[in-house]
Amino acid sequence: MIERRALPRTRLDVPGRICLDEHRSVSCLVYDRSERGVRVTLPEADLIPDTFLLEIEQAPTFFVCRLVWRKGEEIGAQLEAA
C-alpha cells in the first residue's frame, strides 16, 4: 500500500469530545494525529458538521477542525490554523 500522507501520524487512542454547537457535544476516540490532521472514531459520525471544535484529553486546548472525509464510524479532519 502506498502512503499518501504528507506528514507522519502518531497513534494516540485517547478520549476526546467534539462540540457540535454551543449546547451539545459527543464523546469520541482520537485514533491518531499529525501536525495538520486527526482521525477520530465515533458512532455518531454522520452528526459531525463541516467545521467543529475538538478537545483531546491529553491536550490543554481545543482544536478548530475542518471535516475532510467520513467513512462509517470514522472521520478525518484537518486542524485549522488559529
Side-chain angles (χ1 to χ4, degrees), residues 2 6 18 20 23 26 32 35 42 44 56 65 80:
I2 298 171
I18 293 176
L20 300 175
H23 307 288
V26 293
D32 60 27
E35 185 178 316
L42 69 159
E44 304 92 353
I56 300 174
C65 299
E80 298 290 311

Side-chain angles (χ1 to χ4, degrees), residues 19-34:
C19 298
L20 300 175
D21 57 35
E22 296 86 16
H23 307 288
R24 298 181 305 152
S25 63
V26 293
S27 296
C28 63
L29 178 68
V30 181
Y31 185 76
D32 60 27
R33 179 180 173 211
S34 73

Side-chain angles (χ1 to χ4, degrees), residues 13-68:
D13 283 332
V14 296
R17 294 197 67 74
I18 293 176
C19 298
L20 300 175
D21 57 35
E22 296 86 16
H23 307 288
R24 298 181 305 152
S25 63
V26 293
S27 296
C28 63
L29 178 68
V30 181
Y31 185 76
D32 60 27
R33 179 180 173 211
S34 73
E35 185 178 316
R36 289 190 260 170
V38 292
R39 179 168 43 148
V40 176
T41 61
L42 69 159
E44 304 92 353
D46 57 325
L47 296 177
I48 305 305
D50 291 339
T51 303
F52 59 91
L53 291 176
L54 172 66
E55 178 184 20
I56 300 174
E57 188 174 278
Q58 293 180 336
T61 188
F62 285 89
F63 298 93
V64 177
C65 299
R66 183 178 57 82
L67 185 68
V68 176

